[in-house]
Amino acid sequence: MMAVDERSCLNCTGEPCEHATGDNPDYCLGGSVTPEIHEEVRRRYLDPEIHAIYEASVRSSALCSNLTRVQEIIEFARGLGVRKIGLASCTIMLNEARTFARILRDAGFETYGVACKIESNHRSDLAVHVSEGSQDTILCNPIMQARLLEEAGTELNVVVGLCVGHDALFYKHSAAVTTTLAGKDHITMNNPCAALYGHNSIYRKRIQETVDACRADLDSRPQSR
């Protein structure tokens, strides 16, 4: 458990920064922001490319209480002034990606999609050595998804249900600004927060099994220095 005086927003019991009341606790993380760090981050926001993205996101988030995420992405893209949107989709969510693409085209955008199983790589093709699962399983290829969307000249990319980790690789290699429409969750019908809402009820046993196995594994490893 973290100490209560550790500077982490996870330890905060109120919302002073949300409402600018000034009633921040002594251990508020904001207290660790030095003038130098503040100015460094401020300068990053003033970079023309970053500033354009940030202004578009502020505009869409100002409307988000009355918008679905589909609408919010449309507003974000409109604010950026882009015309061509790339969809990096899981193969099992291609129907959702196609529906989203139709909506985007109705809104005036061009769309281009690349599914995760592109090239049909096996583990041996990408030097993957893990014991779990079948060696014949076709692997996801998020770096190729990012590369092909770059070749297509997409100006904004949207992730539609890529696996955990595969999405991280896509974000890392995407040449265009990337946002997310959906996170894949096989158990909760692609609603990851359902596991949080039900962590003390319907999903309690399932989550606890994973937590216990992970804790045992980490405890068995040498302590890092």
Side-chain angles (χ1 to χ4, degrees):
M1 296 292 292
M2 293 180 293
V4 71
D5 61 350
E6 183 177 338
R7 291 186 184 275
S8 169
C9 293
L10 299 179
N11 289 331
C12 187
T13 57
E15 298 178 343
C17 59
E18 177 77 15
H19 304 292
T21 62
D23 299 326
N24 301 64
D26 293 338
Y27 54 85
C28 177
L29 181 59
S32 66
V33 177
T34 65
E36 292 77 15
I37 292 176
H38 173 82
E39 187 57 31
E40 173 198 334
V41 172
R42 180 178 175 278
R43 285 197 302 269
R44 294 187 187 184
Y45 281 117
L46 296 180
D47 174 273
E49 181 181 1
I50 299 299
H51 197 67
I53 295 169
Y54 193 56
E55 282 204 334
S57 66
V58 168
R59 178 182 180 276
S60 62
S61 64
L63 302 169
C64 71
S65 61
N66 293 314
L67 300 180
T68 64
R69 193 170 180 91
V70 167
Q71 293 171 279
E72 193 175 351
I73 292 173
I74 291 173
E75 291 295 341
F76 179 55
R78 183 157 70 105
L80 285 177
V82 303
R83 295 304 299 265
K84 191 167 188 177
I85 299 177
L87 303 184
S89 177
C90 172
T91 51
I92 67 172
M93 292 190 71
L94 277 172
N95 283 337
E96 291 86 342
R98 293 178 182 120
T99 298
F100 185 44
R102 286 196 297 271
I103 294 171
L104 291 174
R105 288 194 293 271
D106 286 345
F109 298 104
E110 299 176 53
T111 60
Y112 189 85
V114 183
C116 62
K117 303 295 186 181
I118 186 76
E119 291 194 305
S120 299
N121 288 303
H122 291 84
R123 296 183 183 190
S124 58
D125 297 319
L126 299 177
V128 173
H129 306 286
V130 294
S131 58
E132 291 81 5
S134 170
Q135 296 300 316
D136 293 328
T137 300
I138 301 298
L139 298 183
C140 297
N141 197 351
I143 297 177
M144 183 59 73
Q145 287 178 285
R147 187 68 182 86
L148 292 179
L149 290 175
E150 181 181 2
E151 284 287 307
T154 57
E155 302 164 280
L156 170 68
N157 290 332
V158 181
V159 166
V160 186
L162 296 187
C163 296
V164 172
H166 299 157
D167 56 357
L169 286 173
F170 181 84
Y171 298 136
K172 186 176 180 65
H173 290 86
S174 175
V177 175
T178 302
T179 189
T180 302
L181 174 64
K184 183 200 290 181
D185 191 316
H186 293 284
I187 304 302
T188 66
M189 297 181 67
N190 303 316
N191 177 18
C193 282
L196 303 180
Y197 304 141
H199 80 285
N200 278 327
S201 54
I202 186 172
Y203 297 113
R204 181 175 183 175
K205 182 178 179 181
R206 178 187 292 273
I207 292 173
Q208 193 61 49
E209 288 175 349
T210 300
V211 167
D212 290 344
C214 183
R215 171 57 66 88
D217 179 43
L218 292 179
D219 287 347
S220 70
R221 300 181 187 183
Q223 292 291 325
S224 58
R225 296 186 178 184

